[in-house]
Amino acid sequence: MTVRVPLRDWFAPVPMIAGVALIALTCALGRWQLQRAHERIERQARIVALQNAPAQRITAQPVAADAVLYRPVLLRGTFDVAHTVLLENRPHVTNGVSRPGFEVLIPLVLEGAGRRAVLVNRGWLPRDPVDRTRIAPYTTPAGEVQVEGMAVPHASRVFSLGGKDAADEAGQRLRQNIDLDAFAREIGMPLQPFVVQQESDAQDGLARDWPRADLGADRNYGYAFQWFAMAAGVLGLMVFYGVRRYRRLAGASEPA
C-alpha cells in the first residue's frame, strides 16, 4: 500500500522559504530589466516623434522640464567657463572601439530678464591613458553664443566609485556624477531643471554623436531573460527535491 504524504511535508521549511524568496527576488529583477528596456524604447520613440518639431527657445524664465524634454531647444547666452565640469568614466565608441573619456558640462547663463543658467553637455573628450588630469584641448566660445540641442532630464550617470555622491565632489572639476539642485547651490545661480545635449557643431574638438536613447535595450532584455531563467531553475530544483523528499518519506512510512 502506498502511503500518502501531506503536501505540506514535501518541502523542508527553511529551503522552501529560501526558494520562494529567491524566486520572488529574481522575478522582480527580471521585471525591472523589462521596464528599463521599455523606458529606453519609449524614450527613443518620443525623440523620433519630436525631432522635426520647431526648436523651443529657452530664456532665463523658468521652464518646466516636462514641457521640453526630448524636444529640440535653442539657447542664447554666455558660457560660465569657471564652473566647467568634466564627468569621468564616459566611454565613447568610435569605429566599433570603445575609448575612455569625459563629458564636458558648462553652465550657459541665459539671455532674458533675471539671472538663470542651463547646464549644457557640450560633448565628449578622450582621456589621456597615463594621466587622467591631462585634458585634451578643446575650445569654448567667448561672449554671447547660440546653442542648439535637445533637452534631457539629467546628465549621464555612472556608478560612483568609493560611494561618492554629488555633494562629496562639490568644487571639483573632474567628477563622477552631477546633481542639478546641488550644482545650482554650488555656483550660486538657479538652473533650468534639465540638461541640454548640444547638437550644433562649434568646431571645438568635442565629439557629439550622442548614442540613441534605446541603446542598451537588448542588453536589458538579455538580463531579464537570465533572471527569469534563474527563477525557473530555482522552481525546478524545488520541485525536484520536493518529489525526492516525498518518495523518501513515503518509503519510510510504508509498513514492513
Side-chain angles (χ1 to χ4, degrees):
M1 180 180 68
T2 302
V3 178
R4 299 187 63 182
V5 177
L7 183 61
R8 65 177 180 273
D9 294 333
W10 284 35
F11 304 96
V14 173
M16 181 185 69
I17 293 173
V20 170
L22 187 55
I23 289 173
L25 175 62
T26 50
C27 284
L29 290 170
R31 286 173 57 86
W32 177 69
Q33 289 292 345
L34 287 179
Q35 182 180 356
R36 290 277 293 161
H38 295 159
E39 288 174 353
R40 292 178 190 270
I41 292 171
E42 290 171 1
R43 191 180 309 133
Q44 180 61 30
R46 184 176 179 185
I47 291 172
V48 171
L50 294 173
Q51 64 183 358
N52 294 322
Q56 183 168 338
R57 190 156 185 168
I58 305 298
T59 67
Q61 295 300 310
V63 178
D66 290 344
V68 295
L69 284 185
Y70 309 116
R71 296 183 62 96
V73 294
L74 179 65
L75 316 171
R76 287 193 67 85
T78 306
F79 280 117
D80 181 6
V81 180
H83 292 113
T84 298
V85 170
L86 303 179
L87 296 183
E88 297 189 87
N89 300 313
R90 270 36 179 207
H92 183 269
V93 178
T94 306
N95 298 323
V97 178
S98 180
R99 302 167 60 199
F102 307 92
E103 289 182 3
V104 180
L105 278 69
I106 307 180
L108 182 76
V109 183
L110 295 162
E111 65 175 354
R115 183 169 171 81
R116 186 179 302 272
V118 62
L119 192 59
V120 178
N121 189 338
R122 297 198 54 221
W124 179 87
L125 274 179
R127 178 187 184 276
D128 188 287
V130 177
D131 183 1
R132 60 188 272 272
T133 63
R134 186 184 301 158
I135 307 302
Y138 68 95
T139 59
T140 301
E144 189 173 72
V145 297
Q146 179 169 294
V147 175
E148 298 174 9
M150 181 179 69
V152 295
H154 48 71
S156 62
R157 295 170 178 169
V158 297
F159 177 75
S160 181
L161 301 176
K164 289 184 178 180
D165 58 25
D168 297 325
E169 298 181 307
Q172 299 180 24
R173 190 183 185 201
L174 303 183
R175 310 188 189 193
Q176 295 290 324
N177 295 299
I178 191 167
D179 176 80
L180 288 179
D181 291 336
F183 190 60
R185 291 191 295 271
E186 179 183 334
I187 67 176
M189 186 187 313
L191 290 170
Q192 298 287 11
F194 50 86
V195 172
V196 173
Q197 286 183 347
Q198 182 174 342
E199 295 177 347
S200 51
D201 188 11
Q203 300 294 317
D204 50 15
L206 297 167
R208 297 191 182 87
D209 48 338
W210 303 108
R212 288 171 56 92
D214 57 358
L215 183 66
D218 291 342
R219 186 169 61 249
N220 291 126
Y221 281 128
Y223 290 151
F225 174 80
Q226 292 176 7
W227 286 120
F228 289 132
M230 187 180 295
V234 172
L235 179 60
L237 287 173
M238 290 178 63
V239 172
F240 172 78
Y241 285 109
V243 170
R244 194 169 75 167
R245 177 181 172 86
Y246 166 80
R247 290 175 176 172
R248 186 173 67 251
L249 291 176
S253 302
E254 289 181 359

